[in-house]
Amino acid sequence: MLNIALPKGRLGEKAYGLMERAGFGCPEIHEEGRKLIFENSETGVRYFWVKPSDVAIYVERGAADVGIVGKDILLEYEPDVYELCDLGIGKCRMAVAAPVGYKDNTAQTLRVATKFPNIARAFFSSRSREIDIIKLNGSIELAPILNLSDILVDIVETGTTLKENGLEPVEDIVQISSRLIANKAIYKFKIDEIERLVQGVKSR
Ligand code: PRP
């Protein structure tokens, strides 16, 4: 049985679609309800719906054999897992954004609001720019509007959230997409099943 952690939400449903087309379907997963675990002994899979930012924790600790996770989470938390392949879904970018027309005053420490302090710190450190990180858990776009921060570092997909809040992207930090990851120890003894999954999703 292959234990697979899927990120709850729209992306997870897309990811499950990939798995299903690769021959790892589990029809029970389509049933309405609040159940979080689904299995299909015929295809040898057990799926869990996990909060997207927790997928890598389940995989790193071996509660799941494999999982689907955004590259943003891998860069931010650097979990000790194998990154097996890029699934080509969940494409977006990590970017610096600011109020339209914002000019940086390099004489002052830059206040940066973000859910991704490590990514932001590494980026500004490579520019030798001194920053003060304001760690938030969501709605990051509010921070510069309310003068909690000067700028923000966040995920930009369509750019609509920025635009509708009087903000604009200033610079891209890194391109993001969803990755298939595996627990390092489990990979060794479930290598055949896991590689069959990798080849299956790659060919879809
Ligand atoms: C994400 C991200 C941006 C938004 C970007 O937020 O943090 O706010 O999507 O998408 P867009 O460029 O297409 O507008 P999410 O919906 O995950 O919620 P959050 O604000 O709670 O992080």
Side-chain angles (χ1 to χ4, degrees):
M1 190 66 80
L2 206 51
N3 296 297
I4 306 175
L6 289 172
K8 245 193 268 181
R10 205 159 35 95
L11 183 65
E13 277 157 30
K14 240 184 185 175
Y16 170 74
L18 279 180
M19 305 288 178
E20 193 175 45
R21 290 196 294 282
F24 295 84
C26 181
E28 204 194 311
I29 210 167
H30 296 297
E31 287 168 14
E32 291 281 323
R34 307 279 295 168
K35 242 180 94 161
L36 297 171
I37 303 182
F38 302 90
E39 74 176 66
N40 183 353
S41 50
E42 278 167 31
T43 49
V45 283
R46 185 186 292 129
Y47 289 102
F48 321 128
W49 288 122
V50 171
K51 192 176 155 77
S53 51
D54 290 341
V55 167
I57 300 172
Y58 280 78
V59 174
E60 185 176 31
R61 291 180 171 265
D65 305 330
V66 296
I68 283 116
V69 65
K71 183 71 181 176
D72 50 333
I73 302 289
L74 298 179
L75 292 170
E76 179 63 26
Y77 299 103
E78 298 185 343
D80 189 20
V81 296
Y82 288 136
E83 188 180 320
L84 302 175
C85 68
D86 185 343
L87 295 173
I89 56 172
K91 286 186 183 170
C92 54
R93 61 198 209 267
M94 185 69 64
V96 181
V100 173
Y102 172 79
K103 294 266 175 306
D104 186 12
N105 175 0
T106 50
Q108 282 181 356
T109 301
L110 188 64
R111 297 171 305 157
V112 182
T114 189
K115 259 196 292 201
F116 303 95
N118 293 328
I119 295 176
R121 221 173 267 124
F123 176 75
F124 286 103
S125 147
S126 75
R127 302 286 164 97
S128 304
R129 181 71 173 96
E130 200 181 315
I131 60 164
D132 178 14
I133 295 270
I134 297 147
K135 165 81 169 69
L136 297 175
N137 298 300
S139 300
I140 315 299
E141 291 83 359
L142 270 178
I145 299 171
L146 301 179
N147 197 26
L148 176 61
S149 73
D150 299 309
I151 60 162
L152 61 92
V153 166
D154 198 15
I155 281 168
V156 179
E157 192 181 349
T158 60
T160 312
T161 311
L162 292 180
K163 205 169 171 196
E164 292 192 358
N165 290 288
L167 305 165
E168 62 185 0
V170 175
E171 196 171 348
D172 287 353
I173 299 179
V174 63
Q175 298 298 315
I176 305 289
S177 57
S178 301
R179 310 297 161 100
L180 184 65
I181 57 170
N183 175 279
K184 286 187 167 176
I186 294 171
Y187 179 80
K188 290 189 181 71
F189 60 90
K190 289 196 179 176
I191 188 161
D192 292 343
E193 293 107 297
I194 294 176
E195 278 307 319
R196 205 158 49 84
L197 179 71
V198 173
Q199 293 317 316
V201 294
K202 271 188 179 167
S203 61
R204 288 304 178 282

